[in-house]
Amino acid sequence: MIGGVDLILHTPGGNVAATESIIYYLHQIFGNNIRAIVPQLAMSGGTMIACSCNEIIMGKQSSLGPIDPQLNGIPAQGVIEEFKKAKEEVKQDPSCVPLWQMIMAKYDPTFINSCQQAIEWSETILEESLKNYVDTEYNEKDIDKIVTGLSSHKETKAHDRHLSPDRCKELGLNIIMMEDDDELQDLILSIHHCCMNIFLTSNTYKMFSNNLRRNLKFENTN
């Protein structure tokens, strides 16, 4: 196993399976010696990766986000809540059946079950990351507070909700403010801004660079 790594995250998130694989791979290579740096935002899957790190460095302008999964662009927890509401209203007033039949007809037969599994999967990844990959000794109550705060649709209201450093601290995450170290802040923001500028003003879509100043860029030639 090699030394630790600083992981700069700037992402809107992605597939749950890919997120789980990234977390597993990083910890196979670097153990628990990983520090997440979020100069601007790390949402959804990015939040899950950040929460698997020992420290999360954020600035006053930085945000994490809810981890509630989306299936085909539809919030899984929203589907489950809608299904529960349908059951309650039909139970109280059977005349609602035709209306709810029309609404629920938009979902495939297995979609609701897939939503439930995706929710449980995301929560399990976060819970196991906090237990196994973070040196902070969280007890069950601490873990439950973090998982609920980041996964509950009732708590976060929307998948694209931006959670401030203060809110992340309230949940119990180990947040370090980059403004506490001027030199570190300058280094982080310089790298972030340079990378953003390259991706926004050129055809580059992937870039690798190491401590030996060797660089490799992939560009879209179409």
Side-chain angles (χ1 to χ4, degrees):
M1 186 179 295
I2 60 179
V5 65
D6 282 337
L7 182 66
I8 299 179
L9 292 169
H10 180 66
T11 174
N15 182 272
V16 177
T19 299
E20 183 180 46
S21 295
I22 291 170
I23 291 172
Y24 177 79
Y25 175 77
L26 286 170
H27 287 278
Q28 286 296 302
I29 302 299
F30 301 106
N32 289 4
N33 193 9
I34 305 175
R35 183 169 63 168
I37 300 173
V38 184
Q40 188 172 347
L41 60 85
M43 307 291 282
S44 190
T47 296
M48 294 169 69
I49 294 172
C51 289
S52 75
C53 300
N54 262 318
E55 293 180 357
I56 306 174
I57 297 178
M58 302 176 70
K60 294 178 180 178
Q61 74 287 344
S62 304
S63 300
L64 298 184
I67 66 164
D68 54 310
Q70 312 282 289
L71 276 68
N72 302 324
I74 302 173
Q77 289 200 9
V79 173
I80 299 299
E81 289 172 5
E82 188 175 48
F83 183 67
K84 290 179 179 178
K85 183 178 179 181
K87 289 175 63 178
E88 287 297 320
E89 290 194 1
V90 168
K91 183 178 179 180
Q92 294 176 10
D93 183 4
S95 67
C96 294
V97 170
L99 174 62
W100 279 111
Q101 281 180 330
M102 292 176 58
I103 295 173
M104 303 309 291
K106 63 187 176 183
Y107 301 131
D108 293 331
T110 61
F111 187 69
I112 293 174
N113 186 55
S114 296
C115 287
Q116 186 62 52
Q117 290 180 338
I119 293 168
E120 293 173 0
W121 189 8
S122 296
E123 292 179 351
T124 298
I125 293 171
L126 179 56
E127 183 178 339
E128 291 183 349
S129 292
L130 294 170
K131 285 181 178 178
N132 301 324
Y133 298 142
V134 179
D135 288 344
T136 302
E137 294 184 0
Y138 291 118
N139 57 40
E140 292 295 329
K141 186 177 180 180
D142 295 331
I143 292 174
D144 183 66
K145 182 179 179 180
I146 294 172
V147 172
T148 300
L150 292 177
S151 67
S152 172
H153 199 253
K154 183 178 180 180
E155 292 281 338
T156 59
K157 310 300 183 185
H159 184 66
D160 58 356
R161 181 88 173 261
H162 286 215
L163 305 178
S164 68
D166 286 342
R167 176 55 182 155
C168 294
K169 288 179 182 179
E170 288 174 4
L171 291 176
L173 294 173
N174 186 17
I175 305 297
I176 307 297
M177 299 303 297
M178 72 169 71
E179 287 84 1
D180 293 342
D181 187 329
D182 290 339
E183 183 178 1
L184 179 62
Q185 180 185 28
D186 184 57
L187 290 170
I188 291 171
L189 294 181
S190 294
I191 294 172
H192 177 61
H193 293 152
C194 283
C195 289
M196 293 297 291
N197 184 60
I198 290 172
F199 290 127
L200 290 173
T201 61
S202 72
N203 293 325
T204 302
Y205 64 89
K206 188 176 291 187
M207 181 172 61
F208 297 92
S209 181
N210 65 16
N211 60 318
L212 301 177
R213 297 186 178 181
R214 293 177 180 172
N215 304 300
L216 178 63
K217 291 198 303 180
F218 292 85
E219 296 184 348
N220 188 345
T221 58
N222 294 332

